[in-house]
Amino acid sequence: RKANIVLYILPGYTDISDKLARLGKHKIGKSCLYINKLVDVDMDVLQEIVEFGLAHMRKNYQTSEK
């Protein structure tokens, strides 16, 4: 999707509806978060979403941390 920045939210949207409500202007797909411009969203909330996804993956799957 050339028109948007796309982030893949690997655990899906389980338990992050509160974060999405605070994020700012965005759209969601099944596991995708679409953002037009980074200035449209709260970067601290975006960081929370990314950290939540990383924690979920590390808890449920074998990962290599770097």
Side-chain angles (χ1 to χ4, degrees):
R1 293 195 48 141
K2 189 175 182 177
N4 300 101
I5 298 168
V6 181
L7 300 166
Y8 295 93
I9 308 301
L10 296 176
Y13 296 103
T14 306
D15 298 327
I16 65 166
S17 58
D18 62 321
K19 292 174 182 56
L20 291 173
R22 296 184 290 122
L23 181 60
K25 188 175 176 182
H26 69 280
K27 294 180 184 176
I28 58 173
K30 187 168 183 163
S31 292
C32 299
L33 178 64
Y34 300 105
I35 300 169
N36 287 332
K37 296 177 242 165
L38 290 178
V39 298
D40 291 341
V41 297
D42 184 322
M43 293 301 288
D44 292 330
V45 176
L46 184 57
Q47 182 176 347
E48 287 178 35
I49 292 170
V50 170
E51 288 175 351
F52 172 82
L54 288 171
H56 172 82
M57 296 305 288
R58 288 180 178 141
K59 177 181 174 188
N60 294 294
Y61 303 98
Q62 183 177 4
T63 63
S64 59
E65 295 184 42
K66 291 186 179 188

